[in-house]
Amino acid sequence: MKHVPLIKLLTGAALALVLMSSPVIARDSNASKEKKEVLYPNTTRAEPKLDLTSEKDQKAINEGLDAVNAQDKAKAEQVLQPIIDSSKSKYAQALALQGMANLHYNDGDVKGAIDLLKRSIDNGVLPNDTYFQLEYMLAQFYLANEQYQPALDTIAKWRAEGKKETAESYALEGNANYRLEKYPAAIAAIKKAQSMSDKPNDSWNQILMASYAESGQTDQAAQLAQQQLAANPNDTNTLNNAVAVLMQAQKYPEAIQLMEKSKAAGGFKTEKDYVNLAKLYLVTGQESSDPKPNALKAVATLEDGVAKGAVPPSYDNYKLLGDAAYVADSPAKAIDAYRKAMPLGKDGEAAIRAGQLLLSESKFTEAKSMIQQGIDKGVQHKGTAYMLLAEAERGLKNKPGAIAAMQKAAQEPESADKAKAWLKQAGASK
Protein backbone atom coordinates (compact mmCIF):
# COMPACT_ATOMS: atom_id res chain seq x y z
CA MET A 1 0.00 0.00 0.00
CA LYS A 2 1.38 3.36 -1.00
CA HIS A 3 1.75 5.86 1.79
CA VAL A 4 2.73 9.51 1.55
CA PRO A 5 3.69 10.86 5.00
CA LEU A 6 2.22 14.29 5.54
CA ILE A 7 3.36 15.60 8.89
CA LYS A 8 5.45 14.25 11.67
CA LEU A 9 3.23 13.19 14.51
CA LEU A 10 3.35 15.55 17.43
CA THR A 11 5.85 18.34 17.36
CA GLY A 12 8.22 18.82 20.24
CA ALA A 13 6.18 21.81 21.34
CA ALA A 14 3.05 19.68 21.56
CA LEU A 15 4.69 17.37 24.06
CA ALA A 16 6.92 19.91 25.81
CA LEU A 17 7.23 19.66 29.54
CA VAL A 18 5.55 22.59 31.24
CA LEU A 19 7.61 23.36 34.29
CA MET A 20 6.26 25.49 37.05
CA SER A 21 6.77 29.12 36.06
CA SER A 22 8.02 30.05 39.51
CA PRO A 23 9.79 27.09 41.16
CA VAL A 24 9.03 26.78 44.83
CA ILE A 25 11.23 28.93 47.04
CA ALA A 26 11.63 27.56 50.53
CA ARG A 27 11.72 30.14 53.27
CA ASP A 28 12.99 29.89 56.81
CA SER A 29 10.20 28.27 58.80
CA ASN A 30 10.95 30.62 61.67
CA ALA A 31 10.04 33.60 59.52
CA SER A 32 6.33 32.95 60.01
CA LYS A 33 4.46 31.70 63.04
CA GLU A 34 1.38 30.77 60.98
CA LYS A 35 0.53 27.09 61.10
CA LYS A 36 0.73 25.58 57.61
CA GLU A 37 -0.85 22.47 56.19
CA VAL A 38 1.50 19.49 56.21
CA LEU A 39 1.94 18.45 52.58
CA TYR A 40 3.46 15.03 53.22
CA PRO A 41 1.75 13.75 56.37
CA ASN A 42 2.40 10.07 55.67
CA THR A 43 6.12 10.19 54.97
CA THR A 44 8.42 7.89 56.89
CA ARG A 45 11.27 10.39 56.63
CA ALA A 46 12.20 11.78 60.02
CA GLU A 47 11.80 15.54 60.30
CA PRO A 48 15.34 16.92 60.69
CA LYS A 49 16.25 19.42 63.36
CA LEU A 50 16.97 22.86 61.95
CA ASP A 51 20.28 24.46 62.79
CA LEU A 52 19.58 28.04 61.75
CA THR A 53 20.23 30.13 64.87
CA SER A 54 21.94 33.20 63.44
CA GLU A 55 19.64 36.17 62.89
CA LYS A 56 22.15 37.46 60.35
CA ASP A 57 21.93 34.27 58.27
CA GLN A 58 18.15 34.22 58.58
CA LYS A 59 17.87 37.79 57.31
CA ALA A 60 20.36 37.13 54.50
CA ILE A 61 18.51 34.01 53.35
CA ASN A 62 15.20 35.81 53.15
CA GLU A 63 16.82 38.74 51.35
CA GLY A 64 18.53 36.44 48.84
CA LEU A 65 15.42 34.38 48.10
CA ASP A 66 13.38 37.55 47.70
CA ALA A 67 15.94 38.65 45.09
CA VAL A 68 15.54 35.31 43.28
CA ASN A 69 11.78 35.74 43.16
CA ALA A 70 12.27 39.30 41.90
CA GLN A 71 14.66 37.93 39.23
CA ASP A 72 17.42 40.17 40.53
CA LYS A 73 20.25 37.82 39.68
CA ALA A 74 23.13 40.06 40.67
CA LYS A 75 21.77 40.74 44.14
CA ALA A 76 20.72 37.12 44.68
CA GLU A 77 24.20 35.81 43.82
CA GLN A 78 25.84 38.50 45.97
CA VAL A 79 23.79 37.46 49.00
CA LEU A 80 23.46 33.67 48.53
CA GLN A 81 26.97 32.64 47.43
CA PRO A 82 28.65 33.68 50.71
CA ILE A 83 26.07 31.64 52.61
CA ILE A 84 26.89 28.57 50.50
CA ASP A 85 30.62 29.13 50.97
CA SER A 86 30.86 29.95 54.67
CA SER A 87 27.65 29.65 56.69
CA LYS A 88 27.83 27.33 59.68
CA SER A 89 24.16 26.43 59.15
CA LYS A 90 23.56 23.48 56.81
CA TYR A 91 19.92 24.58 56.56
CA ALA A 92 20.93 28.07 55.41
CA GLN A 93 23.29 26.51 52.86
CA ALA A 94 20.52 24.23 51.56
CA LEU A 95 18.13 27.15 51.05
CA ALA A 96 20.85 29.21 49.35
CA LEU A 97 21.67 26.29 47.02
CA GLN A 98 18.00 26.03 46.12
CA GLY A 99 17.86 29.72 45.28
CA MET A 100 20.98 29.46 43.12
CA ALA A 101 19.48 26.43 41.36
CA ASN A 102 16.48 28.52 40.39
CA LEU A 103 18.76 31.25 39.04
CA HIS A 104 20.57 28.76 36.81
CA TYR A 105 17.31 27.25 35.60
CA ASN A 106 15.91 30.65 34.68
CA ASP A 107 19.13 31.33 32.73
CA GLY A 108 18.64 28.12 30.74
CA ASP A 109 21.44 26.27 32.53
CA VAL A 110 19.36 23.23 33.47
CA LYS A 111 22.40 21.03 34.09
CA GLY A 112 23.82 23.56 36.54
CA ALA A 113 20.42 23.86 38.20
CA ILE A 114 20.29 20.08 38.64
CA ASP A 115 23.71 19.98 40.27
CA LEU A 116 22.83 22.75 42.73
CA LEU A 117 19.40 21.31 43.52
CA LYS A 118 20.91 17.89 44.25
CA ARG A 119 23.38 19.50 46.65
CA SER A 120 20.50 21.24 48.41
CA ILE A 121 18.51 18.00 48.74
CA ASP A 122 21.51 15.88 49.71
CA ASN A 123 22.37 18.33 52.48
CA GLY A 124 19.91 16.35 54.60
CA VAL A 125 18.55 19.15 56.78
CA LEU A 126 15.54 20.38 54.78
CA PRO A 127 12.12 20.06 56.41
CA ASN A 128 10.00 17.32 54.89
CA ASP A 129 7.65 19.54 52.91
CA THR A 130 10.52 21.50 51.38
CA TYR A 131 12.59 18.35 50.82
CA PHE A 132 9.88 16.60 48.82
CA GLN A 133 8.89 19.70 46.87
CA LEU A 134 12.50 20.08 45.75
CA GLU A 135 12.80 16.38 44.96
CA TYR A 136 9.76 16.69 42.69
CA MET A 137 11.31 19.76 41.09
CA LEU A 138 14.49 17.77 40.49
CA ALA A 139 12.48 15.19 38.51
CA GLN A 140 11.08 18.05 36.41
CA PHE A 141 14.57 19.44 35.81
CA TYR A 142 15.80 16.01 34.69
CA LEU A 143 12.94 15.78 32.21
CA ALA A 144 13.67 19.28 30.90
CA ASN A 145 17.31 18.26 30.44
CA GLU A 146 16.30 15.10 28.53
CA GLN A 147 17.60 12.85 31.32
CA TYR A 148 14.55 10.65 31.21
CA GLN A 149 15.63 7.67 33.29
CA PRO A 150 16.88 9.87 36.17
CA ALA A 151 13.52 11.67 36.00
CA LEU A 152 11.71 8.34 36.39
CA ASP A 153 14.01 7.21 39.19
CA THR A 154 13.54 10.49 41.06
CA ILE A 155 9.75 10.50 40.79
CA ALA A 156 9.66 6.88 42.01
CA LYS A 157 11.81 7.83 44.99
CA TRP A 158 9.60 10.86 45.67
CA ARG A 159 6.49 8.65 45.78
CA ALA A 160 8.12 5.93 47.87
CA GLU A 161 9.53 8.31 50.48
CA GLY A 162 6.82 10.95 50.49
CA LYS A 163 3.95 8.46 50.40
CA LYS A 164 2.11 10.72 47.99
CA GLU A 165 0.60 10.34 44.53
CA THR A 166 -0.59 13.11 42.21
CA ALA A 167 -1.97 13.27 38.70
CA GLU A 168 0.90 15.54 37.68
CA SER A 169 3.52 13.05 38.88
CA TYR A 170 2.01 10.30 36.72
CA ALA A 171 1.86 12.70 33.77
CA LEU A 172 5.58 13.38 34.26
CA GLU A 173 6.19 9.62 34.39
CA GLY A 174 4.20 9.13 31.19
CA ASN A 175 6.15 11.87 29.42
CA ALA A 176 9.50 10.36 30.40
CA ASN A 177 8.44 6.85 29.36
CA TYR A 178 7.22 8.18 26.02
CA ARG A 179 10.61 9.80 25.40
CA LEU A 180 12.29 6.48 26.22
CA GLU A 181 9.94 4.75 23.74
CA LYS A 182 8.40 2.71 26.56
CA TYR A 183 4.94 3.18 25.13
CA PRO A 184 2.89 0.71 27.22
CA ALA A 185 4.33 2.24 30.40
CA ALA A 186 3.60 5.74 29.07
CA ILE A 187 0.00 4.79 28.29
CA ALA A 188 -0.54 3.31 31.75
CA ALA A 189 0.94 6.37 33.48
CA ILE A 190 -1.09 8.91 31.49
CA LYS A 191 -4.31 6.97 32.05
CA LYS A 192 -3.53 6.94 35.76
CA ALA A 193 -2.96 10.72 35.67
CA GLN A 194 -6.25 11.32 33.88
CA SER A 195 -8.13 9.13 36.34
CA MET A 196 -6.86 11.28 39.22
CA SER A 197 -7.79 14.68 37.76
CA ASP A 198 -11.09 16.45 37.16
CA LYS A 199 -9.40 18.62 34.53
CA PRO A 200 -6.70 16.61 32.74
CA ASN A 201 -4.13 18.73 30.90
CA ASP A 202 -4.48 18.73 27.11
CA SER A 203 -0.80 17.82 26.78
CA TRP A 204 -1.51 14.52 28.54
CA ASN A 205 -3.77 13.54 25.67
CA GLN A 206 -0.99 14.42 23.25
CA ILE A 207 1.36 11.98 24.96
CA LEU A 208 -1.31 9.29 25.14
CA MET A 209 -2.22 9.71 21.48
CA ALA A 210 1.41 9.58 20.41
CA SER A 211 2.06 6.50 22.56
CA TYR A 212 -0.91 4.72 21.01
CA ALA A 213 0.27 5.59 17.51
CA GLU A 214 3.90 4.62 18.10
CA SER A 215 2.93 1.29 19.67
CA GLY A 216 0.74 0.30 16.74
CA GLN A 217 -2.59 0.94 18.48
CA THR A 218 -3.70 3.16 15.63
CA ASP A 219 -7.44 2.74 16.15
CA GLN A 220 -7.20 3.98 19.73
CA ALA A 221 -4.96 6.83 18.60
CA ALA A 222 -7.40 7.83 15.87
CA GLN A 223 -10.36 7.74 18.24
CA LEU A 224 -8.54 9.90 20.77
CA ALA A 225 -7.42 12.31 18.04
CA GLN A 226 -10.98 12.84 16.87
CA GLN A 227 -12.20 13.35 20.44
CA GLN A 228 -9.50 15.93 21.05
CA LEU A 229 -10.31 17.78 17.85
CA ALA A 230 -14.00 17.85 18.77
CA ALA A 231 -13.02 19.52 22.03
CA ASN A 232 -10.64 21.98 20.27
CA PRO A 233 -12.14 22.45 16.77
CA ASN A 234 -10.26 25.66 15.97
CA ASP A 235 -6.79 24.58 17.10
CA THR A 236 -4.43 24.06 14.15
CA ASN A 237 -1.96 21.86 16.02
CA THR A 238 -4.76 19.60 17.23
CA LEU A 239 -6.06 19.32 13.67
CA ASN A 240 -2.63 18.45 12.28
CA ASN A 241 -2.04 15.85 14.97
CA ALA A 242 -5.44 14.29 14.37
CA VAL A 243 -4.82 14.13 10.63
CA ALA A 244 -1.38 12.61 11.16
CA VAL A 245 -2.76 9.91 13.45
CA LEU A 246 -5.61 9.10 11.07
CA MET A 247 -3.12 8.85 8.22
CA GLN A 248 -0.94 6.50 10.24
CA ALA A 249 -4.04 4.39 10.90
CA GLN A 250 -4.70 4.52 7.13
CA LYS A 251 -8.06 6.13 7.80
CA TYR A 252 -7.72 8.44 4.81
CA PRO A 253 -11.40 9.33 4.25
CA GLU A 254 -11.76 10.35 7.91
CA ALA A 255 -8.63 12.49 7.67
CA ILE A 256 -9.95 14.20 4.54
CA GLN A 257 -13.29 14.80 6.20
CA LEU A 258 -11.60 16.59 9.11
CA MET A 259 -9.57 18.81 6.82
CA GLU A 260 -12.47 19.61 4.49
CA LYS A 261 -14.55 20.64 7.48
CA SER A 262 -11.76 22.88 8.73
CA LYS A 263 -11.27 24.42 5.28
CA ALA A 264 -14.99 25.13 4.88
CA ALA A 265 -14.99 26.85 8.26
CA GLY A 266 -12.12 29.13 7.23
CA GLY A 267 -9.58 27.27 9.31
CA PHE A 268 -7.00 26.96 6.52
CA LYS A 269 -4.33 29.60 7.07
CA THR A 270 -0.96 28.04 6.29
CA GLU A 271 0.90 26.35 3.47
CA LYS A 272 0.85 23.09 5.44
CA ASP A 273 -2.96 23.08 5.55
CA TYR A 274 -3.36 23.22 1.78
CA VAL A 275 -0.42 20.95 0.94
CA ASN A 276 -1.46 18.25 3.41
CA LEU A 277 -5.01 18.14 2.08
CA ALA A 278 -3.73 17.94 -1.51
CA LYS A 279 -1.47 15.02 -0.55
CA LEU A 280 -4.35 13.31 1.19
CA TYR A 281 -6.42 13.56 -1.97
CA LEU A 282 -3.60 12.02 -4.00
CA VAL A 283 -3.08 9.19 -1.53
CA THR A 284 -6.76 8.23 -1.57
CA GLY A 285 -6.83 8.59 -5.34
CA GLN A 286 -3.97 6.15 -5.73
CA GLU A 287 -5.88 3.61 -3.63
CA SER A 288 -9.04 3.87 -5.75
CA SER A 289 -9.98 2.45 -9.14
CA ASP A 290 -10.39 5.97 -10.53
CA PRO A 291 -7.83 8.44 -9.11
CA LYS A 292 -8.89 11.33 -11.36
CA PRO A 293 -11.67 12.89 -9.20
CA ASN A 294 -9.48 13.17 -6.11
CA ALA A 295 -6.54 14.36 -8.20
CA LEU A 296 -8.74 17.18 -9.52
CA LYS A 297 -9.56 18.08 -5.91
CA ALA A 298 -5.85 18.16 -5.14
CA VAL A 299 -5.24 20.55 -8.02
CA ALA A 300 -8.11 22.79 -6.93
CA THR A 301 -6.86 22.82 -3.33
CA LEU A 302 -3.34 23.86 -4.31
CA GLU A 303 -4.57 26.50 -6.75
CA ASP A 304 -6.84 27.90 -4.04
CA GLY A 305 -3.87 28.08 -1.66
CA VAL A 306 -1.75 29.84 -4.29
CA ALA A 307 -4.52 32.33 -5.06
CA LYS A 308 -4.86 33.19 -1.37
CA GLY A 309 -1.13 33.61 -0.93
CA ALA A 310 -0.86 30.72 1.54
CA VAL A 311 1.05 28.38 -0.78
CA PRO A 312 4.32 30.02 -1.90
CA PRO A 313 6.25 29.13 -5.05
CA SER A 314 8.66 26.28 -4.34
CA TYR A 315 9.99 23.19 -6.06
CA ASP A 316 7.98 20.83 -3.84
CA ASN A 317 4.74 22.75 -4.29
CA TYR A 318 5.03 23.07 -8.06
CA LYS A 319 6.02 19.42 -8.41
CA LEU A 320 3.06 18.37 -6.26
CA LEU A 321 0.77 20.47 -8.45
CA GLY A 322 2.30 18.89 -11.54
CA ASP A 323 1.84 15.38 -10.15
CA ALA A 324 -1.78 16.11 -9.24
CA ALA A 325 -2.51 17.59 -12.67
CA TYR A 326 -0.81 14.61 -14.33
CA VAL A 327 -3.06 12.15 -12.47
CA ALA A 328 -6.06 14.39 -13.17
CA ASP A 329 -5.33 14.07 -16.90
CA SER A 330 -4.59 17.77 -17.30
CA PRO A 331 -1.29 17.59 -19.21
CA ALA A 332 -1.02 21.29 -20.08
CA LYS A 333 -1.44 22.26 -16.43
CA ALA A 334 1.01 19.57 -15.35
CA ILE A 335 3.66 20.66 -17.86
CA ASP A 336 3.30 24.28 -16.78
CA ALA A 337 3.78 23.31 -13.13
CA TYR A 338 6.81 21.14 -13.89
CA ARG A 339 8.36 23.98 -15.91
CA LYS A 340 8.01 26.28 -12.91
CA ALA A 341 9.49 23.64 -10.61
CA MET A 342 12.58 23.02 -12.77
CA PRO A 343 14.70 26.09 -11.90
CA LEU A 344 13.88 25.68 -8.21
CA GLY A 345 14.92 22.05 -7.88
CA LYS A 346 18.23 20.36 -7.13
CA ASP A 347 17.53 17.53 -9.57
CA GLY A 348 15.96 17.06 -12.98
CA GLU A 349 12.96 14.93 -12.03
CA ALA A 350 10.41 17.64 -12.86
CA ALA A 351 11.99 18.12 -16.30
CA ILE A 352 11.77 14.39 -17.04
CA ARG A 353 8.09 14.33 -16.11
CA ALA A 354 7.41 17.34 -18.29
CA GLY A 355 9.30 15.69 -21.15
CA GLN A 356 7.29 12.50 -20.76
CA LEU A 357 4.03 14.45 -21.05
CA LEU A 358 5.32 16.34 -24.08
CA LEU A 359 6.14 13.02 -25.73
CA SER A 360 2.56 11.88 -25.21
CA GLU A 361 1.45 14.99 -27.09
CA SER A 362 3.99 14.34 -29.89
CA LYS A 363 5.84 17.57 -29.11
CA PHE A 364 9.18 15.91 -29.74
CA THR A 365 11.44 18.96 -29.96
CA GLU A 366 10.25 20.34 -26.62
CA ALA A 367 10.32 16.86 -25.10
CA LYS A 368 13.93 16.31 -26.19
CA SER A 369 15.00 19.62 -24.67
CA MET A 370 13.22 18.92 -21.39
CA ILE A 371 14.54 15.39 -21.04
CA GLN A 372 18.11 16.43 -21.81
CA GLN A 373 17.87 19.19 -19.20
CA GLY A 374 16.66 16.65 -16.68
CA ILE A 375 19.51 14.24 -17.43
CA ASP A 376 22.07 17.04 -17.22
CA LYS A 377 20.73 18.12 -13.82
CA GLY A 378 20.63 14.59 -12.46
CA VAL A 379 17.86 12.01 -12.14
CA GLN A 380 17.36 8.89 -10.07
CA HIS A 381 16.42 6.61 -12.97
CA LYS A 382 18.93 7.57 -15.61
CA GLY A 383 18.23 4.53 -17.80
CA THR A 384 14.56 5.39 -18.09
CA ALA A 385 15.46 9.00 -18.92
CA TYR A 386 17.75 7.92 -21.78
CA MET A 387 15.02 5.66 -23.19
CA LEU A 388 12.64 8.64 -23.16
CA LEU A 389 15.31 10.70 -24.91
CA ALA A 390 15.62 7.97 -27.54
CA GLU A 391 11.85 8.09 -28.07
CA ALA A 392 12.03 11.85 -28.62
CA GLU A 393 14.84 11.36 -31.17
CA ARG A 394 12.79 8.74 -32.96
CA GLY A 395 9.87 11.16 -33.11
CA LEU A 396 12.21 13.66 -34.75
CA LYS A 397 13.32 10.99 -37.29
CA ASN A 398 16.85 11.19 -35.88
CA LYS A 399 17.91 7.54 -35.86
CA PRO A 400 21.59 8.21 -34.97
CA GLY A 401 20.41 10.32 -32.01
CA ALA A 402 18.01 7.59 -30.92
CA ILE A 403 20.75 4.95 -31.15
CA ALA A 404 23.17 7.12 -29.14
CA ALA A 405 20.56 7.63 -26.41
CA MET A 406 19.66 3.94 -26.36
CA GLN A 407 23.33 2.98 -26.07
CA LYS A 408 23.47 5.13 -22.95
CA ALA A 409 20.35 3.38 -21.66
CA ALA A 410 22.04 0.03 -22.28
CA GLN A 411 24.74 0.98 -19.78
CA GLU A 412 22.20 1.37 -16.95
CA PRO A 413 21.14 -1.83 -15.11
CA GLU A 414 17.46 -0.84 -14.90
CA SER A 415 17.11 -0.41 -18.68
CA ALA A 416 19.94 -2.58 -20.06
CA ASP A 417 17.82 -5.52 -21.28
CA LYS A 418 15.20 -3.43 -23.10
CA ALA A 419 17.80 -1.09 -24.58
CA LYS A 420 19.96 -3.93 -25.85
CA ALA A 421 16.93 -5.63 -27.42
CA TRP A 422 16.01 -2.38 -29.18
CA LEU A 423 19.53 -1.87 -30.43
CA LYS A 424 19.67 -5.45 -31.75
CA GLN A 425 16.40 -4.98 -33.59
CA ALA A 426 17.65 -1.69 -35.01
CA GLY A 427 20.84 -3.38 -36.18
CA ALA A 428 22.95 -1.14 -33.99
CA SER A 429 24.17 -3.66 -31.41
CA LYS A 430 27.90 -4.15 -31.11
Side-chain angles (χ1 to χ4, degrees):
M1 180 174 289
K2 295 179 181 178
H3 181 89
V4 180
L6 298 188
I7 52 178
K8 184 177 180 182
L9 175 64
L10 296 175
T11 62
L15 287 177
L17 167 69
V18 180
L19 287 167
M20 58 187 76
S21 57
S22 297
V24 59
I25 293 291
R27 297 294 300 267
D28 173 24
S29 60
N30 295 322
S32 173
K33 298 300 182 181
E34 294 180 13
K35 187 175 180 181
K36 296 182 179 179
E37 177 189 358
V38 177
L39 301 178
Y40 296 83
N42 300 318
T43 179
T44 56
R45 179 179 183 261
E47 189 80 50
K49 184 178 180 181
L50 305 185
D51 64 352
L52 181 57
T53 57
S54 166
E55 269 191 44
K56 180 180 178 183
D57 275 357
Q58 180 177 315
K59 183 179 179 181
I61 278 291
N62 289 337
E63 183 183 359
L65 297 183
D66 283 342
V68 173
N69 281 328
Q71 298 184 5
D72 188 342
K73 180 182 176 182
K75 182 177 179 181
E77 289 179 333
Q78 181 183 6
V79 174
L80 295 178
Q81 192 61 53
I83 297 174
I84 294 171
D85 294 337
S86 58
S87 176
K88 294 179 180 180
S89 168
K90 293 182 69 177
Y91 179 54
Q93 289 178 329
L95 295 185
L97 284 164
Q98 179 210 353
M100 293 292 282
N102 290 341
L103 287 178
H104 280 258
Y105 176 77
N106 290 336
D107 274 352
D109 178 17
V110 184
K111 184 179 183 302
I114 288 171
D115 292 340
L116 288 161
L117 200 57
K118 284 177 66 179
R119 287 174 61 190
S120 176
I121 294 169
D122 293 343
N123 193 298
V125 298
L126 290 171
N128 282 340
D129 283 355
T130 304
Y131 174 87
F132 288 115
Q133 284 178 288
L134 296 191
E135 190 171 48
Y136 188 87
M137 188 193 298
L138 179 62
Q140 291 181 303
F141 282 10
Y142 277 133
L143 189 58
N145 202 43
E146 300 181 359
Q147 294 177 256
Y148 304 124
Q149 191 57 54
L152 289 171
D153 295 342
T154 303
I155 210 67
K157 184 172 179 287
W158 173 82
R159 283 203 201 107
E161 293 180 346
K163 304 299 180 185
K164 189 168 185 175
E165 295 185 339
T166 64
E168 289 74 16
S169 72
Y170 281 104
L172 188 154
E173 180 182 327
N175 197 337
N177 275 313
Y178 171 79
R179 306 294 182 174
L180 291 172
E181 300 181 4
K182 297 179 179 179
Y183 304 121
I187 291 168
I190 294 299
K191 283 188 170 181
K192 178 75 171 178
Q194 292 175 326
S195 73
M196 296 176 67
S197 175
D198 294 332
K199 295 181 179 180
N201 192 297
D202 285 342
S203 67
W204 301 355
N205 264 337
Q206 296 286 328
I207 299 168
L208 183 57
M209 183 168 63
S211 298
Y212 276 138
E214 295 292 349
S215 61
Q217 300 180 66
T218 51
D219 285 344
Q220 292 91 328
Q223 183 180 358
L224 183 58
Q226 289 171 303
Q227 290 173 355
Q228 194 166 15
L229 185 61
N232 302 280
N234 299 318
D235 185 76
T236 301
N237 286 333
T238 302
L239 172 66
N240 289 336
N241 286 334
V243 169
V245 171
L246 289 167
M247 283 291 293
Q248 193 164 348
Q250 297 181 359
K251 296 180 180 294
Y252 305 136
E254 291 91 337
I256 287 176
Q257 187 178 16
L258 288 184
M259 297 204 77
E260 286 179 337
K261 186 176 179 180
S262 174
K263 186 174 185 291
F268 271 29
K269 305 294 183 184
T270 67
E271 173 187 9
K272 183 184 289 185
D273 295 330
Y274 289 95
V275 169
N276 283 350
L277 180 55
K279 287 182 178 179
L280 267 172
Y281 281 133
L282 282 181
V283 169
T284 52
Q286 289 168 358
E287 297 298 322
S288 68
S289 58
D290 182 11
K292 185 174 177 179
N294 271 1
L296 285 169
K297 290 181 181 179
V299 171
T301 298
L302 289 170
E303 289 181 333
D304 184 36
V306 170
K308 291 178 178 175
V311 178
S314 71
Y315 174 79
D316 289 338
N317 290 341
Y318 279 132
K319 187 173 180 296
L320 179 60
L321 178 58
D323 292 346
Y326 175 82
V327 177
D329 197 21
S330 301
K333 190 169 288 188
I335 291 168
D336 180 64
Y338 288 140
R339 285 184 189 275
K340 291 176 179 176
M342 283 170 54
L344 303 175
K346 295 180 180 179
D347 57 47
E349 299 295 342
I352 295 298
R353 295 200 180 195
Q356 192 171 8
L357 284 170
L358 288 164
L359 280 177
S360 68
E361 296 189 334
S362 299
K363 297 179 179 179
F364 301 116
T365 300
E366 291 179 73
K368 175 183 174 181
S369 174
M370 281 287 177
I371 295 166
Q372 189 61 62
Q373 287 181 59
I375 292 172
D376 292 342
K377 201 164 188 178
V379 292
Q380 186 176 358
H381 300 288
K382 191 177 289 187
T384 301
Y386 277 120
M387 292 191 75
L388 290 172
L389 182 60
E391 188 177 341
E393 296 286 16
R394 286 179 62 201
L396 292 170
K397 311 297 183 186
N398 181 9
K399 185 175 181 179
I403 290 172
M406 203 61 81
Q407 285 174 338
K408 294 283 185 66
Q411 297 173 21
E412 302 295 329
E414 66 183 19
S415 55
D417 291 342
K418 288 184 178 180
K420 288 175 182 178
W422 186 93
L423 289 168
K424 183 176 181 181
Q425 187 176 4
S429 59
K430 294 182 179 179

